[in-house]
Amino acid sequence: MGRLILTRLAMMAVNVLAISALLFFSVTTLLGSPAAMMLGEDASPAAVAALNTQYGFDRPPIEQFGTWIGHALQGDFGRSFITRQSVAAAIADCVPVTLELTVFSILLAVVLAVGSSTAPVARRLVGAASTAAILIGVTVPNFMIGISLILAFSVGLGWLPSTGWVSWSEGALSHLQHILLPVLTLSAYYFGVFSIVYRAEYRDVCERMFMRVARAKGLGEWRVAFRHAMPNAILPVITFVGISLGQLTGGAVVTETIFSMPGTGRLFVSAIAGHDFPVMLAVGVMIVVGVVTMNLLADIAYSLANPQIRHE
Amino acid sequence: MRHPSLQRAFGCTVIAVAVLLAVFAPLLAPADPNRSGVDMLDLPSLANLFGTDDLGRDIFSRVMHGAQPSLLIGFGAACVAMLIGVPIGLAGGYMRGRIDLLVVGVIDLFIALPGLILALIITAMVGATLRNLVLVLGFVMWPPVARLVRGQALAVREALFVEAARAVGGSHGWIIRRHVLPNILRVIAAQFAVSVSVAIFTSASLSFLGLGLPPPMPDWGGMVRSGFDYLSINPFMSLAPGAAVTLTVMGFYVVGTSFK
């Protein structure tokens, strides 16, 4: 187990370094001179050159990458070209928002997907309804779900605020009201994919001998479903949570934009719009590190839940 | 919609309508999609089926014209993804050994990257034109294709007929072309349809985030975005193009999964 984690950690470091280099070189070579961009089109060549020397844009790319990664490892991602704010501080402000949104969404999606496919009540009705819900979750774009929810609950019924963000300290109820629609929006897709994965496994588990034994013992349907079938069918969902985190960040970008939430995704979109490349790079690398870490954690959780893998 | 045939019928109908619109929109649309008027943000009426947008343009006609760029991007990007993913997957799955290790490593490296984020970064750098979007989305979508094809090739290469082909002295290229590829073509075709739906989905999301085709090109994702500000005045400005994206994505997805 320890060795597995160590090798995975080493692979993870290589992966992250490779992707950071890829991002850095593609961003720096394709975007052209940041100095020219920062000063605008009418800047004099002398001013551009001066800025280049000041920031070190005139040095060879490989040297720039070395400096950048050296600082990044110490938690210094430079300053935003636009706001002049420290990138690390800007990201630190945004991370809690995104983290809360994604964690709530995954939890809701897993609970709904597993619950609706396990519960032994009105199987035909629930089954048909959730088949439709799965198709909707998987194919309706995030922004359409968000807009429909806003139309229904904010514009139409007026129950919930459409956009904006209120922190916990400013009022728990208001906070939850603001985060409800974004969480519903983001979890729709994951409800779909988790259900597909879980149902396939659940069907297999139901064929197994121990299910017949459990019923033969005279256990109730609820106990059979939740104590015997569910723990055996949930493993692929755990792996899938890990795999889908990358896609989740993409969904979070769209969701945060719709609901104007001050999260990492919106920071990223505005950095892209403003060609603010220190912010772009930092958020890009951070997303990759996050995704790779979560993949590793999912693998560890998986091997903890399944002793066969642990002892390999 | 539990029956595959029903799903397929729905999907094929949607695809047929979308293709029809993509080709004949200029003939079918009741109005010029770019002609602005004085009646702005009108609600649906007989003259303007979905009302008018913030510049007084007919939303119905704009949605019809939006089919063409969407389908071009969808088909184009899916083709690019197949052109990259299928050979790489075949090489890894059929050759095994070191080549496979390399292939799996590269696939894992890219699969960790979120497609939409990657597409956002690259599109921002190269600029959102039709050609660039096709290339960028195709490039973002190849890893799942390669992974699927690799898995399939891995299974087929163990089949008896592949062993027989090898025994009669067939070269690797010939075996892959004549024995492995035909047997996984169905899966590739299904993945192609799913890829088209993912490409349309992703390009609409890009447009919604402001990195779509430049105006005044009627672009579904961009139209949803501009309608977002007028949601309480004429919601159809967002809903109509949004429904068009959704139906098209659903159509291709359903057809793809029904063949898997």
Side-chain angles (χ1 to χ4, degrees):
Chain A
M1 186 71 192
R3 256 190 72 180
L4 176 90
I5 296 179
L6 274 183
T7 35
R8 288 297 310 266
L9 271 178
M11 271 170 64
M12 188 181 133
V14 174
N15 255 1
V16 168
L17 199 68
I19 293 172
S20 310
L22 205 71
L23 274 180
F24 187 90
F25 291 120
S26 51
V27 169
T28 43
T29 47
L30 282 170
L31 271 188
S33 158
M37 221 146 49
M38 285 160 75
L39 293 172
E41 279 174 11
D42 329 309
S44 71
V48 171
L51 205 69
N52 271 335
T53 343
Q54 189 194 336
Y55 282 93
F57 295 143
D58 50 354
R59 287 180 296 146
I62 187 84
E63 205 183 312
Q64 287 187 46
F65 177 65
T67 323
W68 180 81
I69 200 107
H71 286 290
L73 283 175
Q74 297 164 33
D76 173 16
F77 288 92
R79 277 172 188 285
S80 155
F81 285 166
I82 294 170
T83 61
R84 302 256 137 238
Q85 198 195 357
S86 146
V87 175
I91 292 180
D93 286 344
C94 295
V95 166
V97 177
T98 309
L99 215 55
E100 193 183 341
L101 174 68
T102 46
V103 168
F104 276 157
S105 303
I106 290 183
L107 281 180
L108 184 71
V110 170
V111 169
L112 282 183
V114 171
S116 70
S117 307
T118 310
V121 279
R123 278 245 162 86
R124 295 192 78 162
L125 200 71
V126 175
S130 53
T131 305
I134 291 168
L135 187 64
I136 290 175
V138 174
T139 55
V140 180
N142 226 317
F143 54 84
M144 266 316 277
I145 295 183
I147 286 177
S148 313
L149 287 174
I150 291 180
L151 263 178
F153 292 103
S154 310
V155 179
L157 296 167
W159 289 352
L160 292 166
S162 59
T163 55
W165 175 256
V166 173
S167 67
W168 278 106
S169 52
E170 291 169 72
L173 182 68
S174 172
H175 174 82
L176 289 176
Q177 280 176 339
H178 278 89
I179 204 169
L180 181 60
L181 292 184
V183 166
L184 283 177
T185 305
L186 190 55
S187 57
Y189 177 77
Y190 296 93
F191 166 75
V193 285
F194 293 163
S195 296
I196 293 174
V197 172
Y198 180 74
R199 280 181 168 199
E201 192 71 11
Y202 191 82
R203 263 199 296 275
D204 282 354
V205 168
C206 282
E207 306 286 312
R208 304 257 286 273
M209 225 28 199
F210 64 80
M211 289 291 286
R212 212 179 298 170
V213 173
R215 288 212 178 85
K217 281 198 296 187
L219 296 180
E221 272 305 305
W222 281 87
R223 199 170 165 79
V224 173
F226 279 96
R227 289 284 300 171
H228 292 256
M230 190 189 84
N232 286 292
I234 208 165
L235 276 179
V237 179
I238 297 179
T239 327
F240 218 79
V241 170
I243 298 175
S244 52
L245 277 164
Q247 307 304 321
L248 193 74
T249 52
V253 170
V254 176
T255 309
E256 284 172 12
T257 309
I258 303 172
F259 293 98
S260 344
M261 298 169 74
T264 338
R266 218 175 51 143
L267 181 74
F268 189 61
V269 171
S270 56
I272 282 178
H275 288 265
D276 192 350
F277 109 99
V279 178
M280 264 166 84
L281 264 179
V283 178
V285 169
M286 199 198 69
I287 288 173
V288 171
V289 172
V291 169
V292 177
T293 316
M294 292 314 287
N295 280 342
L296 178 67
L297 287 181
D299 273 4
I300 294 173
Y302 192 85
S303 57
L304 283 179
N306 186 350
Q308 277 179 339
I309 297 169
R310 193 163 57 215
H311 294 303
E312 246 174 34
Chain B
M1 287 214 292
R2 297 192 132 180
H3 304 286
S5 57
L6 211 73
Q7 291 196 355
R8 217 173 287 169
F10 162 76
C12 290
T13 314
V14 169
I15 295 174
V17 171
V19 169
L20 213 68
L21 283 180
V23 180
F24 295 112
L27 300 175
L28 297 170
D32 178 350
N34 292 325
R35 196 196 60 217
S36 42
V38 283
D39 300 318
M40 284 164 280
L41 295 168
D42 271 359
L43 283 172
S45 63
L46 276 181
N48 306 101
L49 211 52
F50 292 136
T52 56
D53 69 3
D54 53 333
L55 296 175
R57 298 173 295 194
D58 180 40
I59 294 174
F60 184 57
S61 305
R62 286 183 66 73
V63 170
M64 290 173 97
H65 278 266
Q68 196 186 35
S70 281
L71 287 197
L72 282 178
I73 291 174
F75 278 113
C79 287
V80 173
M82 294 294 145
L83 283 177
I84 308 176
V86 172
I88 292 183
L90 277 176
Y94 179 78
M95 297 307 225
R96 302 277 299 272
R98 284 200 184 150
I99 297 180
D100 192 30
L101 274 181
L102 183 75
V103 164
V104 172
V106 174
I107 292 177
D108 280 349
L109 183 76
F110 277 98
I111 247 168
L113 284 172
L116 182 64
I117 305 275
L118 202 61
L120 267 174
I121 298 179
I122 308 178
T123 314
M125 292 187 296
V126 296
T129 62
L130 200 67
R131 192 201 62 192
N132 285 352
L133 282 172
V134 164
L135 293 176
V136 168
L137 291 173
F139 175 71
V140 168
M141 293 190 315
W142 75 263
V145 175
R147 190 159 66 171
L148 182 82
V149 170
R150 177 189 164 267
Q152 294 286 325
L154 212 55
V156 171
R157 84 184 290 278
E158 302 301 331
L160 213 55
F161 59 81
V162 173
E163 205 178 313
R166 218 173 290 141
V168 299
S171 69
H172 288 316
W174 180 75
I175 295 176
I176 291 180
R177 254 183 299 115
R178 299 301 299 269
H179 292 274
V180 179
L181 198 56
N183 275 289
I184 60 175
L185 216 52
R186 187 187 162 93
V187 180
I188 295 180
Q191 183 63 29
F192 181 82
V194 174
S195 296
V196 173
S197 90
V198 175
I200 295 176
F201 188 114
T202 313
S203 84
S205 301
L206 279 180
S207 308
F208 183 78
L209 293 172
L211 280 171
L213 298 168
M217 194 104 115
D219 169 39
W220 286 340
M223 290 164 75
V224 175
R225 173 58 179 255
S226 49
F228 188 54
D229 297 331
Y230 306 102
L231 222 46
S232 51
I233 308 172
N234 181 7
F236 289 93
M237 202 178 147
S238 276
L239 287 184
V245 179
T246 306
L247 277 174
T248 317
V249 169
M250 220 180 250
F252 280 101
Y253 178 84
V254 158
V255 168
T257 47
S258 77
F259 278 104
K260 266 192 180 169

